[in-house]
Every structure is written in structure tokens, then in C-alpha cells.
Amino acid sequence: MTTERAPRPTPKRAWRWPLAALLACCATLVDAVDTVTRGPYLQMQTATGMVVRWRTNNAVNGRVRYGTVPGSLTLSANQSAVATDHEVALSALTPATRYYYSVGTSAATIVGDATYTFVTAPTTGTPKPTRVWVLGDAGTGNSSQTAVRDAYLAYAGTTPTDLWLMLGDNAYNTGLDSEYQTAVFNLYPVTLRQSALWPTLGNHDTAQSTTFVNTYPYFDIFTLPTAAQAGGVASGTEHYYSFDYGNIHWICLDSMTADRSPGGAMLTWLTSDLGAATAHWIIAFWHHPPYTKGSHDSDTETPLIEMRTNALPILEAGGVDLVLSGHSHSYERSYLLDGHYGVSSTLAAGMKINGGSGASASPYTKLTGSHRGAVYAVAGSSGQIAGGTLNHPAMYISLNNLGSMVLDVHDNRIDGTFLRETGAVADAFTIEKETPPRVATPANAVTPVNGSTTPVSVLGEDDAGESNLTYTWSTVGSVPAAVTFAPNATNGAKASTATFTAAGTYILQATITDQGGNSVTSSVTVNVTGSGTAWGSTTASTGSAGSGGSGSSTCGVGTGVAAGVAAVIGLAIACLRRREPLRRTGGDGMR
Ligand SMILES: [Fe+2]
């Protein structure tokens, strides 16, 4: 990443008499020099496509030359229309691949060195470490915006920005094209040419109008999906849309001009879009925050109340993980929440799925699915700060500081950072997605038990790692006498010893529990004779317990399941064959 700098300016003319008179007659020649006055900037990034847009001083046709080797731009795509605003869609690109490009006309390249480069999105559904830059209410065009920008560029170093978001109020004061030139295109020329930008509409982008029309400059400036060109369900409008990037499904809503009512077009589409979403992560963004006590108050302002009351239940039912907003010129970041749809005073303890800090050492751990918790962040201080009481009880942290957010999305983890204009990290949180543990090796025991003890073992697996699992042994149903297990309720109890005080038949069950409290069980039946003379039979089963737990029966005979004698014998033989090596090693099936 190179330092942001303004685009190449139109050559300046020295209007000084008598030179002015000489140049006046040559003005046509000077103007004939085609220059890029805006961009290029990148839109509609997909695994196989990218839209390149730019503006020229002269009305000319457009050509993007591109390729995967810098200096060898052997491919091209054209805009035949003669205009000053240019838009060329590149297609049939290779996923997750770096391209280099230039923009110009059919006759000549205007700009395009090695900094004109982008990387296509990964194939949808494929996890990829993803760096996202989030700016809210940035568009002041002043030194505060510049400081926030420079802090991010220094923080990012050589790490590419895979995509970036603008959370509305992208260009003050009324969202004019000229204001976008000053506050967006002149501020971020390098990021614009390298990273696809996904914006949402703020109140200053419509000059405070709440009319649902496409005549705001925002809609001329940005090319956004209406027909699910980048994934998701077609919204039919650029006001709200969704797209996929790797294993992340992104949803942009219009909290300014769209109908926010439960049966309105936007929330009807939202329900449909979430219903079709299969991505591992769901991140939503819009301008008006559902929870804030910054320069706006989510208890009293209608757009904020309606987004909270009407959109959040749909999003949480759809499994949203992270919600990003701006509008308040502050940084406010919540706990892991679910079900908080009222004013701030109605926040109940039970709505905090996790009331901790979410710091990396104690991350917010959640399951995939409905109502497992989401983090809500207000990041509206990328161009100015404006105070407020900053005491919304849903927030773990509230700061009256300039800054932007950085998201690093991994296969199973989102790291969120608030980066101040000073370069200091003022907040960091982690959301981890937990899946229930699985039984890797069913419960085993040496049986029959000829003495008073027998080794028992089991092994689970989990996305957070086997070492994070806890194994707890117990008996199931009526047993001849209590059984003790040592060790128990530890990770080491995957290999334990059961001690008996009476002969008879026992069902010994291991409950395998992960850090999120999700569990799965596996059990084994043992016969205790104490005589040391006879072999009994062994059956094993697996099942699920706890929230979301699931397991699969490895040996196929579930306790309590009626089965024909022949089937039982056949399955028992299969199980015995599987366990034969385990017996030779003392019954410990660990790997
Ligand atoms: Fe705003």
C-alpha cells in the first residue's frame, strides 16, 4: 500500500499576460490532454468480476487494460460511449487473484502503474483471511478525516484491504457530487483504486431528504447490486442490497429513505435474503444505529427506534453476527446481545449472551443459527467527534474519539478493532463461531470387568481443538452401585478409570463439552463380574445433549433402541472388530 495522494491533476495553465494571449489560442490543444479527474475506483467486486469507474476531463470513450502481470496488460474491456464518466465491468476473472490494470481510451492509456491493482473475491463460501476497513461519517474533508485515514494506512502497512465500507454521511454537507470529490475521491485515491468500496446511505447523502428516490448524487456515483450480481437475493434497488465475500454474507440497509416498517419492501427482502444465506458469517450495516447515546439517541429518534424494533428481530432470527452503523460521531461497541428491542432502560441481563469484554483472551463465542448473539458497533467518528452521554447500557465501551474500524475475518473468528487517529488501538474484540463437539472415538471400556476397576476412554473433536474439550463420566439409569471415575471432568478424563463396588451391568456415559457449553455424549455398557472368568458383550452409542449438540452413532446400537437379536449380534461383532486393536493397547483409543 502506498501513501494516499491526490489523482494526477489537470495541467495547470499560467494565465499571465502576454503568455496568456499565446496560450489562449492553444487552449484547444491543452484541453486535448486527457486526464483522469476522479478515480479509478472499484465497485461490485465478485469472485469473477469487478466494475471499474473513473472520470475524465474530456468526453472520450473508455478502455480498461488489465492482466495478472504488472506491465503486461494483455486483456481489455471497453466503454464505447463517449463521456466523462466511465464504467467498465470486467468479467470472467479468476477468483482470489491479483490483477493489474490501467484506464484510458481506445487510443491510449491515461493512468495505470503498479498501484492500479486489485484482488478478486474468493469463491463464494470459501474462507479466506479478510481485511475490511470501516469508515463512518467520514466525509468532512478536514484534517480529522485525514488523520483517521493516515492512521489506518500506517496500521495496514502492506496488508491489503480486501474491501471497505462507508457507513453513510460519506460526504458533507449535502452529498453533492462536488462534495464527494473533496471528501471521498480526493481523500482516498489509492484505496479507491485498489479495494472495492461498499457504501450505505446517510442523512447527509440525501441533504436530509427521506424521499425514496434514486436522484441523489450517491446513486450516480456508486454502482451497487440490484439483481444479486454479487450474491444474496435480488433487492431490485441500490438503496439496500447484499453481497457475498468468501464465507461472509454482507447486508446493506437504507435506514434513511426506505420503508422501515415490518411489512415494508426492505424488511420483506431482508427476511428473504437471510433465509437464503448460508455463509458462515453475516454482517449487516446501515447508517442509523439501533443503540447509541452519542450525538444521537436511539431512545428518542424514529429511524433508530424503527431499525432496532423492526430490523433487529429479523436479523437476529437470521443469525446476524455483527451490525455496523454510524450517525453518532463516536465509537460505541456492545456486548454480545440478543433480543434487546426496547429503549435502553429495558436492557435485561438475559439479553447479554455474553456480558464480558470480548477481548481475544475471552472472546464472544457463539453458535451458528438464530438468536445466538450479535455485536453492535457505532463507528461514526471517522471525520469528526461530537460527544454525547455515551452511556448506553448495551455498550461495553463508548468513546468520544476519532477513528475507524478494522475487521479481520478468519474462517471461524472475527477480530474487530477500533483504531484511533493517533494510531492507538482503543478497542479490540473477538467473535468466535463455535460448532458442537463431535465423537471421534466412541466410549470404550474393557469388559467384562473381572476386578473392581476398568479403564474407560473416549475421544471428541471440536473446531476449537480437542484440548479445549472437557470429558465428564457418569452412569446412566439404574445401576447396582455408585461408580467413581478418576480423573473426571477434565480434558485428561478422556482416559479414566472406573471403580466399582458391586457386580452387575452398568451403562457408563462420557459427556464431551466444549468451551461454549455445547456437548455430545457417548456411552458404553460394561458387565462387572469380579470373577475374572467370563467375557460379556459391549454395546456403545452416541447421542447429543446440551444446546445444539449432535453426534453420530459409530457402532450403531443405541442404548434403549429395540433391535432384533440378529441385528444386535451383527452390530456387536462389527463393534468388537473395531475395538480389537483398542483392547491390545489397553482400551485407550486416543490419538
Ligand atoms: Fe448521520
Side-chain angles (χ1 to χ4, degrees):
M1 176 72 70
T2 58
T3 303
E4 297 271 354
R5 62 179 187 275
R8 182 182 302 174
T10 302
K12 292 183 178 172
R13 300 162 207 159
W15 292 104
R16 289 180 181 165
W17 185 264
L19 186 59
L22 175 64
L23 290 179
C25 70
C26 302
T28 302
L29 289 176
V30 173
D31 287 341
V33 176
D34 298 324
T35 60
V36 172
T37 58
R38 170 175 294 186
Y41 59 107
L42 303 173
Q43 300 276 274
M44 295 271 281
Q45 174 186 36
T46 70
T48 58
M50 187 74 87
V51 169
V52 182
R53 294 190 60 170
W54 72 100
R55 178 175 288 177
T56 49
N57 60 328
N58 294 321
V60 292
N61 65 15
R63 175 168 292 181
V64 175
R65 297 167 174 85
Y66 62 101
T68 56
V69 178
S72 179
L73 309 182
T74 56
L75 303 170
S76 66
N78 301 315
Q79 175 189 277
S80 57
V82 173
T84 54
D85 282 324
H86 305 277
E87 177 170 349
V88 171
L90 309 183
S91 60
L93 305 179
T94 304
T97 298
R98 178 168 292 285
Y99 284 85
Y100 299 86
Y101 70 102
S102 68
V103 299
T105 68
S106 57
T109 293
I110 302 177
V111 292
D113 57 29
T115 68
Y116 292 72
T117 179
F118 62 80
V119 178
T120 50
T123 301
T124 298
T126 304
K128 169 189 172 295
T130 302
R131 163 63 60 85
V132 183
W133 189 23
V134 182
L135 292 163
D137 305 65
T140 56
N142 63 24
S143 59
S144 295
Q145 182 181 13
T146 305
V148 170
R149 175 199 67 187
D150 292 344
Y152 172 73
L153 294 176
Y155 177 86
T158 57
T159 301
T161 302
D162 293 298
L163 61 117
W164 55 318
L165 310 180
M166 285 190 177
L167 301 177
D169 292 358
N170 310 314
Y172 289 95
N173 190 39
T174 57
L176 294 173
D177 184 88
S178 59
E179 292 169 333
Y180 264 91
Q181 185 68 39
T182 300
V184 175
F185 294 103
N186 291 351
L187 254 291
Y188 310 106
V190 177
T191 307
L192 283 161
R193 81 174 67 131
Q194 296 182 344
S195 308
L197 172 59
W198 299 92
T200 191
L201 196 62
N203 50 302
H204 284 276
D205 300 301
T206 69
Q208 309 298 335
S209 171
T210 57
T211 306
F212 186 78
V213 292
N214 297 335
T215 52
Y216 307 114
Y218 172 98
F219 292 102
D220 292 329
I221 292 167
F222 295 116
T223 302
L224 304 170
T226 60
Q229 297 98 315
V233 170
S235 66
T237 174
E238 289 184 303
H239 284 258
Y240 45 87
Y241 59 87
S242 62
F243 64 98
D244 292 313
Y245 185 98
N247 63 342
I248 314 161
H249 185 64
W250 300 84
I251 297 171
C252 172
L253 300 179
D254 171 7
S255 58
M256 184 62 196
T257 68
D259 182 351
R260 297 179 295 262
S261 65
M266 181 169 71
L267 297 190
T268 300
W269 166 81
L270 175 63
T271 302
S272 172
D273 185 74
L274 284 165
T278 58
H280 194 64
W281 295 104
I282 297 174
I283 302 176
F285 61 102
W286 64 85
H287 186 62
H288 298 80
Y291 310 119
T292 182
K293 287 287 186 180
S295 50
H296 293 275
D297 187 339
S298 57
D299 285 347
T300 60
E301 300 177 38
T302 299
L304 294 74
I305 293 169
E306 290 185 350
M307 292 304 290
R308 180 178 67 249
T309 305
N310 300 337
L312 261 54
I314 298 171
L315 283 160
E316 292 182 344
V320 70
D321 300 295
L322 178 62
V323 174
L324 306 167
S325 300
H327 200 41
S328 275
H329 302 148
S330 51
Y331 174 76
E332 301 165 87
R333 195 268 294 171
S334 78
Y335 304 98
L336 189 71
L337 300 176
D338 183 71
H340 179 36
Y341 309 133
V343 296
S344 57
S345 61
T346 66
L347 178 69
M351 297 171 185
K352 295 179 184 176
I353 301 292
N354 185 322
S357 68
S360 58
S362 55
Y364 297 135
T365 302
K366 59 172 289 189
L367 285 165
T368 297
S370 297
H371 295 290
R372 299 296 186 179
V375 171
Y376 294 84
V378 180
S381 61
S382 301
Q384 59 183 311
I385 52 174
T389 58
L390 295 172
N391 62 346
H392 197 295
M395 298 299 174
Y396 167 74
I397 187 170
S398 300
L399 300 171
N400 189 35
N401 293 132
L402 290 168
S404 61
M405 280 189 80
V406 182
L407 303 178
D408 288 297
V409 186
H410 307 269
D411 181 6
N412 215 41
R413 190 177 82 246
I414 294 178
D415 294 318
T417 298
F418 179 63
L419 182 68
R420 286 192 56 186
E421 85 286 9
T422 60
V425 172
D427 183 39
F429 64 94
T430 298
I431 309 171
E432 287 187 347
K433 197 65 77 75
E434 187 81 38
T435 58
R438 299 163 295 278
V439 176
T441 305
N444 286 273
V446 175
T447 183
V449 180
N450 297 320
S452 60
T453 65
T454 186
V456 293
S457 66
V458 67
L459 193 72
E461 60 187 9
D462 187 58
D463 44 23
E466 188 278 321
S467 62
N468 292 306
L469 298 175
T470 297
Y471 299 86
T472 303
W473 291 93
S474 60
T475 57
V476 176
S478 176
V479 292
V483 180
T484 58
F485 300 90
N488 204 10
T490 64
N491 181 261
K494 59 196 169 193
S496 185
T497 298
T499 300
F500 306 91
T501 58
T505 299
Y506 297 79
I507 298 174
L508 309 182
Q509 176 176 280
T511 299
I512 308 169
T513 307
D514 70 12
Q515 290 176 303
N518 315 297
S519 61
V520 64
T521 62
S522 181
S523 60
V524 58
T525 300
V526 298
N527 293 323
V528 178
T529 68
S531 67
T533 56
W535 287 92
S537 64
T538 302
T539 60
S541 70
T542 61
S544 62
S547 57
S550 64
S552 59
S553 175
T554 301
C555 283
V557 180
T559 53
V561 176
V565 172
V568 170
I569 292 172
L571 288 166
I573 290 170
C575 291
L576 287 168
R577 281 176 178 161
R578 283 193 183 187
R579 292 202 181 81
E580 193 170 359
L582 300 179
R583 287 195 182 117
R584 284 200 300 267
T585 58
D588 188 343
M590 265 60 68
R591 10 174 241 195

